[in-house]
Amino acid sequence: MIPGKYRSVSGRAANNVNCGLHLVIQTSSLPEKSKVRFKQVEFKLNKETPSFPGRLLQHDLERNYSSRQGDHINLASSSMPSFPILQRSSEEKILYSDRLTLERQKLTVCPIIDGEEHLRLLNFQHNFITRIQNISNLQRLIFLDLYDNQIEEISGLSTLRSLRVLLLGKNRIKKISNLENLKSLDVLDLHGNQITRIENVSHLCDLRVLNLARNLLSHVDNLNGLDSLTELNLRHNQITFVRDVDNLPSLQRLFLSFNNISTFESVCCLADSSSLSDITFDGNPIAQESWYKHTILQNMMQLRQLDMKRVTEEERRMASVVAKKEEEKKRESHKQSLLKEKKRLTINNVARKWDLQQHRTPNFATNQDTKVSDSPSQDPSQLHGSAVVSAFPEETGSLDSGLTSALQGLSVTDTHLVEVDGDTLSLYGSGALESLDRNWSVQTAGMVTTVSFTFIEFDEIVQVLPKLKMKFPNSLHLKFKETNLVMLQQFNALAQLRRVDQLTIDPQGNPVVNFTLWKYYVLFRLSHFSMQKINGTEVTQNDMIMAERLFGILAHVASSELPQYRLISILGDARKKQFRYLLETKGKKPGLVNEENNDSKRLVGENTNRATLNYTTREFYNERLEEIKEKKKFCKMYMEDLVKEATDINMKNEALQKLWPQMFIELVRDAVIEIRNKNSYMKLCLQQITDQK
């Protein structure tokens, strides 16, 4: 009898001591009385009963069995087309009653094994068999070895209900099938075949070892039901992802070497397996990554061996540290990707609203989206909007599933965006101007040197220029895109800033750049800034001279035609002193004024003349609007205070009306009690008067 435990497959049913055994091979077409006895052969079987430990080593399942010294038997060829019949003598049957080895016999078919129903071990290794047949009568068979044949389909096994070990490695099988009745199967070896998917094995609840190495598998799934599986060999396939392994409660060893696994996400289900202790990934792209070992150990804390090497406690500790850093980095990357996409959506919404205001046909596949997608990630604390305040290495077009699901919750109604990117403050949409009222940190405000306005009316920008000057004192470069700069006078408003070194006016949405002389007007009107660049072009001394020649007379005429009170109101308090100096120098003879005074007069006059060129188209309206708003606010607050005060008085009056009868009764009662004893009352009053003194 063969014991219930099985030895490693590489030593199955073979290495034996020499014992003589005569086999009689007959063809089934010959009459029973005319059986022909063929050449006697020596059948080598182990005199001792081979032992088969419970664990089946994965290497043995893949080993080439050509090195083993199996039993050799010579079968006489027959000219008849039917199956050969194998018979053994009574003596041989008694001596080796439960096993039969027919390896390396050049068999092309399975012979008919007559009178051997008691066999428990059958070995057909290294033959040329193409089909499993003629063994349905061996219903006590436990161990069947058909390694290294030419079998294309699993069949002929439906009656072998006692079969525990089935070895079909190195054949031509393309599909796992016809195993429905083998519910007692303990070991199934299908390595070295042409199988493309795992299927039809969920009923094998007692299966402990499954070898599918060197097949054509591209993914791993359909493993539910294999509750006893402890070892799964999937080496040398084309596997890119693994599923269902976490549903194997007994799995201890999993071998995935030499596949196409490139990311931990494709095998993340392994992290949910509590029983897995040994695993291999060597030969996969993932094993070449710097984060490979740390990630595996961090997510699979129960591992004892990785790639056939023992895992040490120091490796676990390092894995934990590195994994935490990687997780933080990944979380930040995810956050930045979401912010970038949210920024893109917000700018799209702002552009849509702007185009509708300008009565244009919206066009959202603009270069703006491309620039946003390519821009560097932003600090989440510096990204603001109506709903974009603080939100969570992929580009927009290649977001992972988690990020995509997160983006589904993004608002598509954000109407403005405020962004600080390095030294640049970018404002998108008119609502972004409100951000200038926030309490910006000194560090952030001091860092900003460039301010960009996009999709905002220039007249709205003019109203916040004083705030911009105070909040961001180091801003030197202004950019305008889609701001409706349509006339030269609008540049006058920029004179109220503290300093401007560079000015960039994008042609998109700013028709003023179509004027030939717009740059010279800017240089003339803002000459006190000594601008260095306009639209990226260096400003030369010749440009300044040309600007003065073109527009100098314009400023002189403008200041000469205005009445004095109007000049004073335009110049304001800051320029009154300069204007008084200008008036005082009028009427003096040229010879009485020295050269220094002449220079000062000329300088003050030029500045004053330019100051008369102001942009006041909407200023009065805005002032009135602000005044009305303040009055409305004051009246509302005053009325609310009056109503509140009246309500309080009324409530107090109602409370007094309710309490007064009881209060009056108590007053009268107290008075009666006090004067009930006249002498005592008088003494008490005298005592109180004395105490007061």
Side-chain angles (χ1 to χ4, degrees):
M1 298 293 290
I2 296 179
K5 299 290 184 179
Y6 307 117
R7 189 167 60 91
S8 297
V9 177
S10 62
R12 54 188 178 269
N15 308 333
N16 316 305
V17 296
N18 293 337
C19 294
L21 177 63
H22 300 289
L23 294 181
V24 179
I25 305 299
Q26 296 181 329
T27 58
S28 59
S29 61
L30 295 178
E32 183 69 24
K33 294 182 180 179
S34 59
K35 288 181 180 179
V36 180
R37 184 176 295 275
F38 292 101
K39 183 178 179 181
Q40 294 182 356
V41 298
E42 185 175 289
F43 194 103
K44 295 181 181 178
L45 283 177
N46 195 342
K47 198 169 186 178
E48 300 176 355
T49 301
S51 62
F52 298 90
R55 176 174 178 181
L56 182 64
L57 293 176
Q58 67 283 357
H59 299 297
D60 298 334
L61 292 179
E62 298 181 55
R63 186 178 298 168
N64 191 321
Y65 301 98
S66 61
S67 62
R68 285 185 303 185
Q69 297 178 354
D71 306 324
H72 51 275
I73 181 168
N74 296 324
L75 298 177
S77 61
S78 171
S79 60
M80 304 302 292
S82 54
F83 296 105
I85 299 176
L86 185 146
Q87 287 184 338
R88 295 191 293 177
S89 64
S90 299
E91 181 182 349
E92 294 159 350
K93 289 182 180 180
I94 293 173
L95 190 58
Y96 307 106
S97 60
D98 57 358
R99 68 199 63 192
L100 177 60
T101 297
L102 295 172
E103 67 175 85
R104 303 183 188 279
Q105 300 303 311
K106 300 182 180 179
L107 295 173
T108 59
V109 295
C110 295
I112 296 175
I113 304 174
D114 190 21
E116 301 281 358
E117 287 77 9
H118 53 279
L119 278 179
R120 304 190 72 186
L121 185 151
L122 181 58
N123 182 359
F124 282 119
Q125 289 185 40
H126 304 292
N127 284 289
F128 303 99
I129 298 171
T130 59
R131 185 178 180 186
I132 306 172
Q133 52 193 348
N134 300 326
I135 61 172
S136 59
N137 59 317
L138 308 177
Q139 296 185 11
R140 295 185 181 181
L141 198 64
I142 289 179
F143 194 110
L144 177 59
D145 191 347
L146 286 159
Y147 172 80
D148 192 17
N149 280 277
Q150 299 179 7
I151 299 169
E152 296 183 356
E153 181 184 7
I154 303 174
S155 61
L157 304 174
S158 59
T159 61
L160 307 182
R161 298 180 182 273
S162 298
L163 195 64
R164 302 291 299 277
V165 178
L166 177 59
L167 309 177
L168 291 168
K170 203 174 179 182
N171 279 279
R172 301 176 181 178
I173 299 170
K174 297 181 179 179
K175 182 179 180 181
I176 305 174
S177 60
N178 300 318
L179 300 175
E180 290 77 11
N181 294 333
L182 307 184
K183 296 183 179 180
S184 299
L185 206 59
D186 187 75
V187 176
L188 177 59
D189 179 14
L190 292 168
H191 85 274
N193 283 282
Q194 302 170 19
I195 298 169
T196 58
R197 60 176 300 182
I198 302 174
E199 56 187 337
N200 302 319
V201 294
S202 59
H203 63 287
L204 303 176
C205 57
D206 292 330
L207 188 68
R208 290 187 307 106
V209 177
L210 176 59
N211 187 356
L212 290 168
R214 296 186 185 277
N215 277 280
L216 303 175
L217 299 174
S218 61
H219 56 277
V220 179
D221 54 7
N222 297 327
L223 295 174
N224 294 326
L226 302 179
D227 295 340
S228 300
L229 192 67
T230 60
E231 183 173 302
L232 178 58
N233 190 347
L234 298 168
R235 285 190 173 100
H236 292 281
N237 278 278
Q238 302 167 10
I239 296 170
T240 57
F241 68 89
V242 177
R243 284 200 292 253
D244 294 346
V245 174
D246 53 320
N247 295 326
L248 303 175
S250 303
L251 186 66
Q252 298 177 13
R253 296 172 293 280
L254 175 61
F255 306 100
L256 289 164
S257 305
F258 301 99
N259 281 283
N260 292 327
I261 298 170
S262 57
T263 64
F264 180 76
E265 286 72 18
S266 60
V267 293
C268 60
C269 65
L270 301 179
D272 298 326
S273 174
S274 59
S275 59
L276 197 60
S277 60
D278 297 354
I279 194 168
T280 64
F281 285 109
D282 52 301
N284 284 275
I286 190 176
Q288 306 300 320
E289 300 290 347
S290 59
W291 46 262
Y292 157 65
K293 192 170 186 178
H294 299 129
T295 301
I296 296 297
L297 294 181
Q298 173 65 15
N299 289 277
M300 304 176 69
M301 299 295 292
Q302 76 281 11
L303 282 186
R304 294 199 304 265
Q305 286 196 135
L306 175 62
D307 296 334
M308 306 304 292
K309 296 179 181 178
R310 188 175 67 88
V311 178
T312 65
E313 289 303 319
E314 178 62 19
E315 287 176 329
R316 293 186 192 279
R317 190 188 66 80
M318 289 300 299
S320 178
V321 173
V322 173
K324 287 180 180 179
K325 292 181 180 179
E326 290 291 335
E327 183 63 24
E328 291 175 359
K329 185 178 179 181
K330 183 178 179 181
R331 190 183 299 112
E332 183 63 23
S333 175
H334 181 87
K335 188 176 181 180
Q336 296 299 338
S337 297
L338 184 56
L339 275 176
K340 185 185 296 185
E341 179 63 10
K342 204 163 188 179
K343 172 185 173 182
R344 187 187 68 84
L345 292 176
T346 302
I347 293 178
N348 264 355
N349 296 333
V350 174
R352 182 186 297 110
K353 181 180 179 181
W354 174 262
D355 286 337
L356 290 175
Q357 289 177 347
Q358 306 303 315
H359 307 291
R360 304 178 190 167
T361 302
N363 178 18
F364 306 113
T366 61
N367 293 334
Q368 184 66 34
D369 296 344
T370 303
K371 293 179 181 178
V372 170
S373 298
D374 295 336
S375 64
S377 300
Q378 308 302 326
D379 185 339
S381 65
Q382 297 172 350
L383 185 61
H384 307 276
S386 59
V388 184
V389 178
S390 217
F392 287 108
E394 301 93 7
E395 289 296 321
T396 301
S398 60
L399 299 174
D400 58 31
S401 58
L403 185 56
T404 302
S405 61
L407 289 174
Q408 292 176 356
L410 290 180
S411 171
V412 294
T413 58
D414 299 339
T415 57
H416 66 273
L417 177 69
V418 180
E419 178 188 29
V420 177
D421 181 11
D423 62 352
T424 301
L425 170 66
S426 299
L427 307 176
Y428 299 86
S430 58
L433 298 177
E434 298 176 3
S435 66
L436 298 177
D437 293 327
R438 297 175 183 169
N439 294 324
W440 293 85
S441 67
V442 176
Q443 181 180 1
T444 302
M447 181 176 59
V448 172
T449 60
T450 301
V451 181
S452 174
F453 300 94
T454 308
F455 303 121
I456 308 174
E457 286 283 351
F458 184 81
D459 287 351
E460 296 182 26
I461 297 174
V462 171
Q463 301 174 37
V464 301
L465 288 179
K467 298 178 182 178
L468 182 68
K469 178 174 63 175
M470 291 186 296
K471 294 284 185 177
F472 303 97
N474 297 328
S475 57
L476 305 176
H477 184 186
L478 298 183
K479 295 182 178 180
F480 298 92
K481 181 178 180 181
E482 292 282 4
T483 56
N484 266 348
L485 273 167
V486 296
M487 52 187 177
L488 298 178
Q489 292 94 315
Q490 289 173 301
F491 290 116
N492 298 340
L494 301 180
Q496 60 185 297
L497 294 174
R498 181 172 299 170
R499 180 182 175 186
V500 178
D501 286 352
Q502 296 186 53
L503 184 65
T504 301
I505 310 297
D506 196 294
Q508 187 175 342
N510 295 307
V512 72
V513 299
N514 296 323
F515 298 162
T516 305
L517 303 178
W518 75 272
K519 291 184 181 180
Y520 293 112
Y521 184 80
V522 170
L523 291 175
F524 168 75
R525 182 60 187 88
L526 307 179
S527 61
H528 56 292
F529 290 150
S530 300
M531 298 185 66
Q532 299 175 5
K533 288 184 179 180
I534 296 181
N535 278 12
T537 304
E538 293 282 350
V539 175
T540 64
Q541 187 63 32
N542 291 334
D543 293 333
M544 298 298 296
I545 295 173
M546 179 61 70
E548 183 64 30
R549 287 179 178 176
L550 290 172
F551 297 102
I553 188 64
L554 175 64
H556 177 72
V557 170
S559 61
S560 301
E561 295 299 323
L562 285 177
Q564 180 176 337
Y565 76 91
R566 180 57 178 157
L567 280 174
I568 295 176
S569 65
I570 291 176
L571 296 177
D573 294 336
R575 297 291 179 88
K576 286 181 179 179
K577 187 174 181 180
Q578 294 181 353
F579 184 71
R580 289 194 188 97
Y581 176 82
L582 181 65
L583 293 178
E584 290 173 0
T585 56
K586 286 185 178 180
K588 290 186 178 181
K589 296 182 179 180
L592 299 178
V593 182
N594 57 33
E595 184 177 352
E596 181 178 355
N597 289 339
N598 280 335
D599 292 339
S600 300
K601 174 186 174 181
R602 177 168 52 83
L603 179 60
V604 173
E606 287 176 349
N607 290 335
T608 304
N609 290 340
R610 286 176 174 79
T612 59
L613 300 175
N614 214 332
Y615 181 60
T616 58
T617 306
R618 285 193 157 189
E619 184 177 355
F620 179 76
Y621 170 77
N622 291 330
E623 289 178 357
R624 290 290 300 166
L625 187 64
E626 188 68 23
E627 184 180 350
I628 292 173
K629 187 185 296 184
E630 290 295 330
K631 288 181 178 179
K632 184 177 180 181
K633 182 179 179 181
F634 172 78
C635 292
K636 183 179 179 180
M637 292 177 61
Y638 182 72
M639 291 301 298
E640 288 177 353
D641 291 342
L642 288 178
V643 170
K644 183 178 180 180
E645 186 177 351
T647 303
D648 292 342
I649 293 173
N650 185 58
M651 291 176 64
K652 291 178 181 179
N653 186 43
E654 291 178 356
L656 180 62
Q657 293 298 325
K658 292 179 181 180
L659 295 175
W660 175 246
Q662 184 64 28
M663 291 173 61
F664 182 76
I665 292 172
E666 291 177 355
L667 289 173
V668 172
R669 183 193 62 189
D670 292 344
V672 171
I673 291 173
E674 286 180 351
I675 64 175
R676 181 174 52 185
N677 190 329
K678 185 176 181 181
N679 294 330
S680 298
Y681 180 70
M682 292 175 63
K683 289 180 179 179
L684 179 63
C685 291
L686 290 172
Q687 183 64 36
Q688 290 178 351
I689 294 172
T690 304
D691 293 340
Q692 289 178 358
K693 293 181 177 179

